Amino acid sequence: VLTMAFRLALLAALAAFVGCRRELVGVAAKAMKNEAFDGEPPPRTPLDLESVEVQQALRYVMTEMKRLSNRYRYIKLLKCHSAEWGAANFDGRNIFLELEFDMLRNQISKHDVIVFQDEDRAITGMAIDEFPDVRLRELPDPPV
């Protein structure tokens, strides 16, 4: 069982290592090329967006996002643009999702998310390219 601090550190480290970025609606949220990587990335196989495996991964992502921070408690999944799977570095496999969220009142945010599975296909964790921005209601300045 991973602690929340470890999960946050893992997510931040993965985002920094991969060099991913978040984009706004209308622009694809694709991971940028990592110039330090030398070699061929493992092949990915598309998954049906309606498959049980993808639906379980989406449910896991939404649950974990709400658990990460109280700021994400109103997050809604708008659309899953794509789902692919590829071999993990060690045993198991990864599910690569391109997701579009509504963070709060039409604050749209697109992200690349990786869901980790072990060799028995049990979900063991996730990583997101960048923590989403959420602008909560701000109190007006007090009269001076």
Side-chain angles (χ1 to χ4, degrees):
V1 176
L2 301 177
T3 66
M4 186 57 66
F6 181 78
R7 287 181 186 181
L8 291 173
L10 179 65
L11 292 173
L14 183 65
F17 176 74
V18 174
C20 296
R21 71 183 192 286
R22 175 183 50 88
E23 298 291 342
L24 297 176
V25 173
V27 180
K30 287 291 183 188
M32 295 185 303
K33 184 175 182 191
N34 182 351
E35 300 299 330
F37 178 74
D38 184 28
E40 288 295 319
R44 294 183 185 177
T45 305
L47 291 169
D48 178 17
L49 298 180
E50 301 300 321
S51 71
V52 172
E53 185 174 28
V54 171
Q55 295 303 312
Q56 288 175 340
L58 292 173
R59 188 170 29 258
Y60 180 84
V61 167
M62 295 308 295
T63 300
E64 289 301 304
M65 289 297 294
K66 290 177 181 180
R67 290 177 59 197
L68 278 176
S69 170
N70 201 30
R71 295 180 71 86
Y72 301 151
R73 67 184 173 268
Y74 299 114
I75 189 173
K76 292 181 186 144
L77 177 65
L78 294 180
K79 186 172 185 180
C80 178
H81 292 279
S82 68
E84 302 171 315
W85 75 268
N89 288 341
F90 303 104
D91 298 325
R93 67 187 218 164
N94 297 326
I95 298 176
F96 300 89
L97 303 169
E98 185 180 339
L99 304 177
E100 186 173 341
F101 301 117
D102 181 356
M103 300 309 296
L104 177 66
R105 296 188 183 116
N106 295 318
Q107 295 179 45
I108 308 301
S109 188
K110 284 181 99 172
H111 294 277
D112 291 317
V113 177
I114 303 171
V115 176
F116 310 119
Q117 292 180 318
D118 64 12
E119 54 276 350
D120 297 324
R121 299 227 177 135
I123 295 175
T124 59
M126 66 171 258
I128 189 166
D129 59 358
E130 180 176 270
F131 292 111
D133 245 354
V134 181
R135 291 179 309 282
L136 301 175
R137 183 180 62 198
E138 296 178 11
L139 298 174
D141 292 332
V144 180

